[in-house]
Structure formats: structure tokens, C-alpha cells
Amino acid sequence: MEELKPVSTERAPRAVGPYSQAVKAGGFVFVSGQIPLTPEGEVVEGGIRAQTERVMENLKAVLEAAGSGLEKVVQTTCFLAEMEDFPAFNEVYARYFLPPYPARATVAVKALPRGVRVEVACIARE
């Protein structure tokens, strides 16, 4: 059985519970949901655009620490506290990916940790 390899970087907020920033397994990188926290753990203020920018930068940092990158993302799962934020979220999200775009699910949720507006998890090739 293949060993699971945890991934950690100081360029993204540290895990604050019993989970890894990411895990490498089977040629893929599974990145835990990232919320708009600075690497120091502070919530980014400024609305959905600023929060989405921080989330994407966190994903990028974790992927790079795993030897991967945004260009290798095959699937994302996106959570929004308000579906009204979708157009602005999508505008920022689209700046981080080129065709072929990753598969994606975007869902509205009742609430997210620390009262943030967005969370994104992803799966990428190594």
C-alpha cells in the first residue's frame, strides 16, 4: 500500500485541526479547503474579491510546496457563504486558471469557518 505524504508550507495558513494542508497519494495532491487567512492566520478583510484572491494564493502556495501547481489542478470544490458573490468570485477565480479549466463544483453554504465568505479545496496532479 502506498504511503500518504503530508504537505506543509509556511506560505499558507497552518492547519488548525486534525488535518494536513494537503496530502500526496497516487500521483495526486489533495489540498484541504483553504479559507482567506494570511499565512499568519489573520482573516483577510475587503469583501469577496480580496478573500478569493487570498484563497487562491493559499492554494497556489500549498500546491507549489507539493511540487505541483495551479496548472495541474483537475478539480475544485468551492463554497460560498452567499451565492450573490458568485460573479465576483468567478471573476477572480478565472484569473488563476487557463484552459482546459479544472472540473468544478460550487455550492452555497450556511456558514464558513471564522465567518469568511469563501473556501476552495482542490485535487491536482503531482
Side-chain angles (χ1 to χ4, degrees):
M1 177 176 265
E2 181 183 357
E3 182 180 334
L4 302 180
K5 298 174 188 147
V7 175
S8 181
T9 179
E10 297 203 3
R11 293 180 37 228
R14 66 181 178 82
V16 294
Y19 63 92
S20 299
Q21 286 177 323
V23 173
K24 292 168 68 170
F28 288 92
V29 180
F30 299 84
V31 182
S32 293
Q34 296 293 308
I35 63 173
L37 298 179
T38 66
E40 297 76 33
E42 300 298 319
V43 173
V44 170
E45 301 298 331
I48 190 64
R49 283 183 176 84
Q51 288 197 356
T52 302
E53 188 86 31
R54 180 72 255 165
V55 165
M56 298 306 294
E57 290 298 322
N58 290 344
L59 286 174
K60 181 178 172 184
V62 174
L63 287 165
E64 288 173 355
S68 185
L70 289 170
E71 71 283 358
K72 295 182 179 182
V73 172
V74 295
Q75 193 268 334
T76 63
T77 304
C78 309
F79 305 93
L80 297 175
E82 299 287 339
M83 198 48 85
E84 296 80 30
D85 285 340
F86 183 77
F89 161 78
N90 207 43
E91 177 186 305
V92 175
Y93 176 99
R95 292 198 320 253
Y96 283 85
F97 295 107
L98 298 172
Y101 298 111
R104 178 174 85 177
T106 304
V107 295
V109 295
K110 183 175 179 179
L112 289 165
R114 309 266 310 259
V116 301
R117 303 179 72 91
V118 60
E119 179 174 352
V120 179
C122 72
I123 300 169
R125 291 179 290 115
E126 278 192 70

